[in-house]
Amino acid sequence: MLSEKEQTRYLRQLILPEFGEEGQLKIKNSKVLIIGAGGLGGPVSYYLAAAGVGHLIICDRDKVELSNLNRQILHGTNDIDVSKADSAHETLSNLNPSITVETHEVAVDDSNIAKYAEGVDVIVDCLDNVPSRFVINRYSIETGTAVVHAGIDCWTGQLTLLNPPHTPCVNCLFDGAEEDGKPKPVLGAVAGVIGTMQALETINYLTGRETFKNKLMFFDAHTMEWVKMDLHKNPDCSICGEK
Ligand SMILES: [Zn+2]
């Protein structure tokens, strides 16, 4: 049941014919783990909180820095040196006090991911480094938990829903990828576009639609072009491959 306040707060989506009270109750009863409260985690957590996803768990180990603020809209100038977890908690609780917002100042790794991910309906990968994506991948394969994956680089971003063995895994996408550890160039609005798409896909998944399953959406902000392509498992993948 939705309270009178909830009926009002979510009115504009409750009157969406394909969403309605049924969709609202589904997301109200959902638990979502968002790993990363940066450029992608901002729009993801903003829109999931605003939409009324009942329980958000957000993990990030970093503190807010001035150079984050071109893209990390969860945080403001007054939050510099504050943990992103605390800053996210304040921003999101203010936006929607009727949901549960749980934040943790922690680096998610193999030893602790189960603590935060146990019982969640979906994980949203808002990370900025490949090794941590493999932590999520291992947990996802072990437990069957779906992951809304996204990444941004310069003018481009990509998005897909990973749920091995029904889809490719992170290793199918990133096998052999190397990182130089330098800050990646990025325009904040690109993180905004891709993070917003991640929030949409998360809501789609929670309400029974898997728009990006075995599809990869690629966006180039330089040319303003979207490409949606089929995504296939790598049969030679050392993690999920058949061999
Ligand atoms: Zn794989």
Side-chain angles (χ1 to χ4, degrees), residues 71-133:
R71 64 198 182 284
Q72 301 192 13
I73 56 167
L74 268 178
H75 321 296
T77 307
N78 290 338
D79 299 315
I80 289 168
D81 294 331
V82 172
S83 79
K84 290 186 186 175
D86 286 349
S87 167
H89 192 273
E90 196 188 334
T91 304
L92 299 169
S93 302
N94 180 47
L95 173 63
N96 191 348
S98 67
I99 61 165
T100 302
V101 178
E102 191 187 320
T103 60
H104 302 276
E105 186 177 358
V106 69
V108 172
D109 59 28
D110 287 313
S111 74
N112 64 17
I113 186 166
K115 188 172 150 192
Y116 306 107
E118 202 182 352
V120 302
D121 296 287
V122 63
I123 298 173
V124 192
D125 171 357
C126 299
L127 288 161
D128 59 358
N129 71 87
V130 173
S132 299
R133 296 190 197 275

Side-chain angles (χ1 to χ4, degrees), residues 28-201:
K28 182 183 176 176
N29 294 320
S30 295
K31 197 175 179 183
V32 175
L33 172 62
I34 301 165
I35 304 185
L40 294 169
V44 168
S45 57
Y46 252 118
Y47 278 115
L48 295 186
V53 172
H55 191 158
L56 297 179
I57 305 167
I58 300 164
C59 295
D60 197 301
R61 67 172 166 186
D62 291 329
K63 293 198 166 24
V64 179
E65 295 175 31
L66 181 59
S67 63
N68 298 152
L69 300 185
N70 82 318
R71 64 198 182 284
Q72 301 192 13
I73 56 167
L74 268 178
H75 321 296
T77 307
N78 290 338
D79 299 315
I80 289 168
D81 294 331
V82 172
S83 79
K84 290 186 186 175
D86 286 349
S87 167
H89 192 273
E90 196 188 334
T91 304
L92 299 169
S93 302
N94 180 47
L95 173 63
N96 191 348
S98 67
I99 61 165
T100 302
V101 178
E102 191 187 320
T103 60
H104 302 276
E105 186 177 358
V106 69
V108 172
D109 59 28
D110 287 313
S111 74
N112 64 17
I113 186 166
K115 188 172 150 192
Y116 306 107
E118 202 182 352
V120 302
D121 296 287
V122 63
I123 298 173
V124 192
D125 171 357
C126 299
L127 288 161
D128 59 358
N129 71 87
V130 173
S132 299
R133 296 190 197 275
F134 279 90
V135 172
I136 301 178
N137 198 49
R138 282 187 282 275
Y139 184 82
S140 163
I141 290 171
E142 201 181 298
T143 61
T145 312
V147 179
V148 180
H149 157 87
I152 44 172
D153 191 10
C154 299
W155 295 89
T156 66
Q158 64 178 33
L159 173 84
T160 185
L161 179 83
L162 299 177
N163 195 5
H166 312 294
T167 72
C169 80
V170 161
N171 192 55
C172 296
L173 298 182
F174 287 100
D175 191 17
E178 284 181 20
E179 290 183 305
D180 56 14
K182 289 184 195 157
K184 280 186 197 154
V186 62
L187 201 59
V190 175
V193 168
I194 300 298
T196 303
M197 294 291 284
Q198 262 184 307
L200 278 172
E201 178 62 3

Side-chain angles (χ1 to χ4, degrees), residues 209-226:
R209 289 179 295 139
E210 298 174 342
T211 326
F212 285 112
K213 194 173 176 180
N214 294 313
K215 301 278 175 195
L216 182 93
M217 184 70 100
F218 182 83
F219 174 61
D220 184 343
H222 222 188
T223 56
M224 285 298 208
E225 282 176 325
W226 292 93

